[in-house]
Amino acid sequence: MPDTALIDDDFVTAIRRDLLKFAQLQLRDAALAEDAVQEALAAACSGSRQFAGRAALKTWVFSILRHKIVDLIRQQSRTTNISALGDDEAGLDEAFDTLFKQNAHWRPEARPGDWGNPEEALRESRFWEVFEICLNHLPENTARVFMMREFLEFETAEVCSELAISVSNCNVILHRARNGLRRCLETSWFAPGEKPC
């Protein structure tokens, strides 16, 4: 049953910050993120009768924002050539290569550490703050492909089509992204000792 009374000023104020943070993370453009959030909130208010109450209201509004972001990424991809790798992407490859010995085995100091219980960590909101920082350290094109595939749940073929890249190029970019995030999270979150501020 719709509960339109929940979409009031207090709700908008409470959720707006989280929506904006999510949009900025995905779009990496403050103005675009602001526009997407405004449009999502306007759509939620005007379409509140469509809210069936099967999910939390916040989840429903985030779903609207997610669709807005997907549309924006698809529009942007028509004008952006992502296939040209920058120096920062090449740097990820060099950093990755330093993790291994010549026989392709992990260097002892670079071997992945114990992440404890990753599912428990995922539930901690602080983890997502660190994750966002790590994501922001990725080269822009790398982070964009990763977000399209893992956050916005584009199929690989759709990512390739939208960004005009080959499947192998997409897989290489995703590999770089996952490796870059793994290294960042290991040092910033999963390393033993006190968590960074």
Side-chain angles (χ1 to χ4, degrees):
M1 168 137 186
D3 192 354
T4 56
L6 291 177
I7 305 179
D8 57 14
D9 289 345
D10 291 339
F11 175 79
V12 170
T13 300
I15 195 173
R16 189 178 180 291
R17 181 181 165 272
D18 291 340
L19 291 171
L20 194 56
K21 191 172 181 180
F22 178 75
Q24 287 175 341
L25 179 66
Q26 305 303 320
L27 297 169
R28 295 184 170 219
D29 183 313
L32 269 181
E34 182 70 41
D35 289 347
V37 168
Q38 291 298 331
E39 289 178 18
L41 287 171
C45 290
S46 66
S48 59
R49 292 184 183 192
Q50 298 171 4
F51 176 61
R54 288 188 295 269
L57 184 60
K58 183 175 180 179
T59 302
W60 181 67
V61 177
F62 263 91
S63 176
I64 294 171
L65 177 61
R66 179 183 169 276
H67 289 291
K68 299 273 180 205
I69 290 171
V70 168
D71 288 345
L72 284 170
I73 287 175
R74 287 179 175 152
Q75 288 170 7
Q76 287 178 330
S77 69
R78 293 185 188 111
T79 59
T80 303
N81 178 8
I82 198 169
S83 60
L85 293 180
D87 290 341
D88 43 1
E89 277 98 353
L92 279 177
D93 283 345
E94 291 172 15
F96 182 74
D97 291 343
T98 63
L99 302 175
F100 299 95
K101 297 185 282 189
Q102 286 188 334
N103 64 3
H105 290 246
W106 287 98
R107 292 185 182 281
E109 69 277 7
R111 187 170 291 145
D114 181 9
W115 284 22
N117 185 345
E119 290 181 7
E120 185 176 316
L122 290 174
R123 286 190 287 272
E124 296 181 40
S125 62
R126 181 77 178 102
F127 170 83
W128 290 110
E129 293 174 20
V130 174
F131 183 87
E132 182 181 345
I133 292 168
C134 290
L135 192 61
N136 286 333
H137 278 91
L138 290 178
E140 186 173 337
N141 288 338
T142 302
R144 185 167 185 215
V145 171
F146 179 81
M147 289 186 298
M148 289 179 73
R149 181 68 185 96
E150 303 299 342
F151 283 129
L152 302 176
E153 300 177 350
F154 282 79
E155 294 296 326
T156 300
E158 191 175 16
V159 173
C160 295
S161 174
E162 293 295 326
L163 301 178
I165 58 177
S166 67
V167 171
S168 63
N169 192 5
C170 182
N171 289 334
V172 167
I173 293 170
L174 288 170
H175 175 72
R176 288 179 181 142
R178 292 174 182 134
N179 182 58
L181 288 171
R182 181 191 66 79
R183 286 184 293 116
C184 181
L185 289 171
E186 278 194 353
T187 57
S188 302
W189 183 261
F190 292 106
E194 192 171 326
K195 301 285 186 283
C197 298

